[in-house]
Amino acid sequence: MDKLTLYIGNKNYSSWSFRPWIALEGCGISFEEVLIPFDFPAGNPRIREVSPTGKVPMLVHDGFKVWESLAIIEYAAELFPDAGLWPRDRQARATARSISMEMLAGFRALRNACPMNIRRPVSRLDLPEGVMDDVARIETIWREMRAHSGGPFLFGAFSGADAMFAPVVNRLEVYDLVSAADTLDYMAAMKALPAWQKWEKAAREEPWIVPEDEA
């Protein structure tokens, strides 16, 4: 198997990079990481040198490029079918993909108002309309998935669906948006993952500050 190279942005801020990174790391898939920081006001021109969209994340496998978080997770799942990136049960797998797509395309009020920021001290914001509606829907997804699977993750064991929601775990924590015990329990399970702790440690050590993401 030729090596995988995952191009990512700043670990403190790059929610899109976090998703495939924690999916691969959390499922024990070996890869090389290349971090290109967002250290220019309009992004880093080095990203466009390697990515057709000028954005990260991007996975390279034997010269073949795959971009967008969910596409990367899907590609890795095909390469490593026994890694557990998706549930084995067909219906559970379809549900995992459905909620992953909902995360990919939705919750814009929350994502716009509350950027991922690993280093941010926990504190509340004055929130625009729609944010708490997004939060309520996310909590419902988590509650229903874990009730059906038995937890601790959305489909029992950690999977690509959990990876897709990983940045939301940070958002709900640092902006102090939730208090329900089952929500906090799921967030604690995510934060206890060695992969999460590895990412968080690196994020806290980064020197870069992106003012527009310091809500």
Side-chain angles (χ1 to χ4, degrees), residues 47 133 185 189 192-193:
I47 296 174
D133 290 337
D185 183 66
L193 285 167

Side-chain angles (χ1 to χ4, degrees), residues 13-162:
Y13 303 111
S14 184
S15 59
W16 295 106
S17 298
F18 191 20
R19 292 180 172 103
W21 188 98
I22 198 172
L24 297 177
E25 185 76 19
C27 289
I29 297 171
S30 179
F31 64 98
E32 178 185 359
E33 168 193 315
V34 178
L35 191 154
I36 304 177
F38 305 145
D39 54 0
F40 291 79
N44 190 325
R46 286 178 54 209
I47 296 174
R48 193 164 292 280
E49 294 173 7
V50 298
S51 170
T53 65
K55 299 176 181 179
V56 288
M58 187 187 68
L59 183 74
V60 178
H61 175 224
D62 191 25
F64 180 70
K65 296 180 177 182
V66 185
W67 55 97
E68 299 293 345
S69 297
L70 188 54
I72 292 170
I73 292 172
E74 288 280 14
Y75 184 77
E78 292 188 13
L79 285 178
F80 302 95
D82 296 323
L85 280 164
W86 294 123
R88 289 190 178 275
D89 177 79
R90 182 177 61 190
Q91 292 185 350
R93 191 164 60 250
T95 302
R97 286 173 167 143
S98 293
I99 64 171
S100 295
M101 280 300 302
E102 186 174 353
M103 180 68 253
L104 182 72
F107 309 120
R108 294 189 181 278
L110 172 63
R111 297 202 323 233
N112 291 339
C114 304
M116 189 180 92
N117 187 336
I118 299 291
R119 296 192 300 255
R120 187 182 192 274
V122 175
S123 62
R124 296 188 176 187
L125 292 176
D126 291 329
L127 298 172
E129 184 177 355
V131 171
M132 293 312 296
D133 290 337
D134 285 352
V135 171
R137 173 57 186 157
I138 289 165
E139 288 192 276
T140 296
I141 291 171
W142 292 356
R143 186 170 296 122
E144 290 179 350
M145 297 305 105
R146 295 175 75 235
H148 187 267
S149 71
F153 299 102
L154 299 179
F155 294 89
F158 175 80
S159 73
D162 299 289

